[in-house]
Amino acid sequence: MGQEFSHEGVNSEHTSYDQYEQEEEKYEEVDVDYMDEDDTSVEPMFDYHGFDEGYNIDSLEDIGMIEFWNIRDEDVCHFHFSDVDIAFEFYNRYARTRGFSARKNRSRKSRAGALKLKNFVCHREGFRLQNNYGIGNLKRKPTPETRCGCSAMMEIRVDAPSGRWFISYFSDEHNHPLLDPRLTGLLPGHRFMSEADIGHMVNMKKGGISVGQMYRALANQAGGYEYLSFTQRDMYNKIAKQRRQLPGDAYAALKYLEDQATNDPFLYFNHHMDADGTLRNLFWCDGLSRADYSLFGDVLAFDATYKRNKYMCPLVVFSGVNHHNQTIIFAAALICDEEKDTYRWLLQQLKVAMNGKAPVSVITDGDLSMKFAIEKEFPNAHHRLCAWHLIRNATSNIGKPQFTSMFKKCMLGDYEIDVFRQKWFEMVEGFGVENKNWVLDMYKKRHSWATAHIRGKFFAGFRTTSRCEGLNSIIAKYVNSRYNLVEFIQHFNRCVDHIRWKEVQADLASVNGRPSL
């Protein structure tokens, strides 16, 4: 009843929720005896023909009214219960006040399949399986051996006429030291997360708070770690269980975007799957991003360098600048590769989402697949290469700091075309690099990077994709490599909200007062 960890019939020791759960199911299938209706092979210690109404236990509320600290062992056997789960919760609450925890053990059913008998034991009942001692090359440090054959037990049987469960055998004789209350609560059988705790955890997780920070915050709220009924490991297990309950990562991501579209009718998303149904590409943008593109989409920065996600897939971000010269995001996509066809598909989705509006200028880092896709999908857009990448390439290809310095002046200098040509050939001849393939290739592409050749083209102040690199550093604060697709999209959208809030603050600064001259 409300316990996160269950230990029914586990003879090997584990620490995670699912290991306990799997062992419990396995034990239920195997360790069940069958008995005839008149089977008396196991004589009960107690056998009731009538029940005292004062000892009825029918709900958790009834259990909560019992003062277990003051109850005597001989009084325990007077209680009777409405079902097996209530009986187990009763025994586990009793166990906590005595310094141990309860575990479900053997069951007996009639030939008709009806449950007739159940016993609950101390968590130290039984012994560790012998085959667990022979496992070599363990990756984890083996857990301490806690099973010591303790014989403490409470057995319950069903009274056929009334359908109530009574205690037929009870023993509180332990062969091991009992724990003090400070430690008893740390036993797996007494650890659980309430619905309120889970709700707090989910809300903080959506806010990007780490599990360690969540646990410290909840401990502070409760008044100390000793007042929490769960450990940090239990939180990790709960999060992992919630992830496994999703019908599928790709399906869940598409379902999440569909749900978002009900609140934002202008949200656009599309995906591409291969022949075997594997999601390969996912593109999305919300209504506000589409509105921003209609106003500020003349200049488009196209970057695919960020790969911090669970599947190491490139995150493509389409960005630009607004009226405050701030970076804004027009759309985003997760792609499986950086091939020409993939980029063409992305730009096609961008055109559909933005009602066919093509950018005037596009800035990239020089990737050839990007260049090909831009020429095919936006043939009239002017393609500019990132100045920062070109300077870095000059350093790596020529290896002379003086050449890099002069190359930078040729690239950014506001020269007439004739002056640019003169300075270029003087530089090339002066350093003796006129036959370098990179130098020849750069001169052929001068219309994509030299200020002398792109004068009059509108780039909204863009000269490099450094805005994209800066944007990646912001994204890194919101997402990490452990996130699945749904979590990645959720936290990426939080990053977009943060960027938009900066615009609101800039709007306030622009209207609240006048600039100092």
Side-chain angles (χ1 to χ4, degrees), residues 348-382:
Q348 289 167 1
Q349 299 309 311
L350 183 68
K351 287 197 293 187
V352 172
M354 306 308 175
N355 301 316
K357 177 178 178 178
V360 174
S361 306
V362 180
I363 301 175
T364 73
D365 59 5
D367 182 86
L368 294 178
S369 297
M370 284 186 186
K371 182 177 184 296
F372 173 84
I374 293 169
E375 290 174 349
K376 293 295 184 181
E377 302 301 328
F378 299 136
N380 298 322
H382 193 85

Side-chain angles (χ1 to χ4, degrees), residues 227-278:
Y227 296 106
L228 290 179
S229 58
F230 53 90
T231 65
Q232 188 168 322
R233 173 53 54 189
D234 297 335
M235 296 179 70
Y236 280 113
N237 289 341
K238 176 60 68 174
I239 291 172
K241 182 182 178 183
Q242 290 174 341
R243 286 175 176 165
R244 286 192 297 273
Q245 288 174 340
L246 294 174
D249 204 3
Y251 174 85
L254 297 176
K255 182 65 170 61
Y256 171 77
L257 290 172
E258 288 177 2
D259 294 340
Q260 293 298 105
T262 60
N263 300 322
D264 181 2
F266 296 103
L267 183 144
Y268 175 84
F269 70 95
N270 203 352
H271 66 283
H272 172 246
M273 292 188 176
D274 58 17
D276 62 358
T278 302

Side-chain angles (χ1 to χ4, degrees), residues 322-496:
N322 63 9
H323 53 303
H324 297 296
N325 199 31
Q326 295 174 322
T327 300
I328 55 175
I329 294 177
F330 298 135
L334 286 168
I335 57 178
C336 63
D337 56 50
E338 299 182 68
E339 300 297 327
K340 295 177 181 178
D341 291 341
T342 300
Y343 282 131
R344 285 198 68 179
W345 182 86
L346 283 186
L347 295 184
Q348 289 167 1
Q349 299 309 311
L350 183 68
K351 287 197 293 187
V352 172
M354 306 308 175
N355 301 316
K357 177 178 178 178
V360 174
S361 306
V362 180
I363 301 175
T364 73
D365 59 5
D367 182 86
L368 294 178
S369 297
M370 284 186 186
K371 182 177 184 296
F372 173 84
I374 293 169
E375 290 174 349
K376 293 295 184 181
E377 302 301 328
F378 299 136
N380 298 322
H382 193 85
H383 182 199
R384 181 169 185 172
L385 299 178
C386 167
W388 182 84
H389 283 88
L390 293 180
I391 293 171
R392 186 180 65 174
N393 291 341
T395 302
S396 61
N397 283 278
I398 306 302
K400 298 178 180 180
Q402 295 85 355
F403 175 86
T404 302
S405 178
M406 292 189 67
F407 174 77
K408 182 177 180 181
K409 291 179 180 178
C410 286
M411 177 173 57
L412 302 179
D414 191 13
Y415 306 128
E416 295 294 336
I417 293 178
D418 292 340
V419 176
F420 166 78
R421 185 184 301 114
Q422 177 186 349
K423 288 185 174 292
W424 176 265
F425 286 114
E426 288 177 356
M427 175 187 69
V428 170
E429 292 174 1
F431 286 94
V433 293
E434 55 267 35
N435 295 323
K436 287 279 190 178
N437 291 332
W438 181 84
V439 174
L440 296 174
D441 185 53
M442 283 296 99
Y443 189 70
K444 290 179 182 179
K445 297 178 179 178
R446 61 189 181 278
H447 295 281
S448 298
W449 55 266
T451 302
H453 286 276
I454 61 178
R455 182 185 297 159
K457 309 293 184 182
F458 180 62
F459 290 97
F462 265 105
R463 288 192 304 192
T464 72
T465 58
S466 59
R467 283 181 180 268
C468 299
E469 280 108 40
L471 180 59
N472 287 341
S473 67
I474 297 174
I475 295 173
K477 298 177 182 178
Y478 287 86
V479 300
N480 64 53
S481 57
R482 296 191 305 273
Y483 290 161
N484 57 31
L485 285 181
V486 175
E487 293 170 330
F488 188 92
I489 296 172
Q490 289 174 337
H491 289 281
F492 178 82
N493 290 342
R494 288 179 50 241
C495 177
V496 175

Side-chain angles (χ1 to χ4, degrees), residues 50-298:
F51 299 106
D52 187 338
E53 294 294 331
Y55 290 92
N56 280 358
I57 302 295
D58 297 325
S59 64
L60 294 178
E61 289 75 14
D62 293 340
I63 297 176
M65 297 175 63
I66 300 174
E67 296 181 356
F68 286 100
W69 294 100
N70 299 322
I71 193 173
R72 297 178 302 174
D73 292 351
E74 54 267 27
D75 294 331
V76 170
C77 300
H78 292 85
F79 289 95
H80 48 93
F81 315 94
S82 58
D83 59 49
V84 174
D85 291 331
I86 291 295
F88 175 72
E89 183 65 21
F90 168 87
Y91 187 55
N92 202 36
R93 296 274 185 98
Y94 169 87
R96 179 161 188 169
T97 62
R98 297 304 193 268
F100 68 101
S101 70
R103 192 181 79 249
K104 296 177 183 177
N105 197 35
R106 295 178 61 84
S107 301
R108 281 196 156 201
K109 292 183 179 180
S110 67
R111 292 296 174 184
L115 186 64
K116 307 293 288 184
L117 177 148
K118 190 78 174 178
N119 61 35
F120 313 124
V121 297
C122 171
H123 73 285
R124 302 193 67 173
E125 181 271 346
F127 297 94
R128 181 176 291 184
L129 294 176
Q130 290 298 316
N131 57 10
N132 286 341
Y133 291 100
I135 300 176
N137 300 321
L138 291 174
K139 293 183 179 180
R140 294 183 179 179
K141 182 180 178 180
T143 57
E145 183 176 354
T146 58
R147 300 297 176 85
C148 61
C150 180
S151 60
M153 182 178 70
M154 184 178 90
E155 181 184 271
I156 59 173
R157 297 190 179 214
V158 65
D159 176 64
S162 64
R164 297 192 66 80
W165 292 83
F166 64 91
I167 299 173
S168 59
Y169 179 86
F170 180 81
S171 171
D172 201 34
E173 297 294 327
H174 298 266
N175 64 350
H176 58 87
L178 298 176
L179 302 175
D180 64 57
R182 184 175 60 90
L183 301 177
T184 307
L186 297 177
L187 293 174
H190 296 308
R191 300 202 307 261
F192 67 95
M193 293 188 70
S194 66
E195 292 299 324
D197 294 329
I198 296 173
H200 286 312
M201 181 187 71
V202 170
N203 288 332
M204 287 190 282
K205 180 170 168 284
K206 288 180 179 179
I209 301 174
S210 69
V211 174
Q213 292 172 326
M214 291 182 206
Y215 191 65
R216 291 191 291 271
L218 292 173
N220 182 65
Q221 182 178 340
Y225 292 98
E226 64 272 20
Y227 296 106
L228 290 179
S229 58
F230 53 90
T231 65
Q232 188 168 322
R233 173 53 54 189
D234 297 335
M235 296 179 70
Y236 280 113
N237 289 341
K238 176 60 68 174
I239 291 172
K241 182 182 178 183
Q242 290 174 341
R243 286 175 176 165
R244 286 192 297 273
Q245 288 174 340
L246 294 174
D249 204 3
Y251 174 85
L254 297 176
K255 182 65 170 61
Y256 171 77
L257 290 172
E258 288 177 2
D259 294 340
Q260 293 298 105
T262 60
N263 300 322
D264 181 2
F266 296 103
L267 183 144
Y268 175 84
F269 70 95
N270 203 352
H271 66 283
H272 172 246
M273 292 188 176
D274 58 17
D276 62 358
T278 302
L279 181 67
R280 295 185 65 81
N281 307 315
L282 177 63
F283 174 97
W284 74 93
C285 61
D286 63 16
L288 188 53
S289 291
R290 298 174 73 183
D292 285 339
Y293 186 86
S294 67
L295 297 172
F296 309 113
D298 293 329

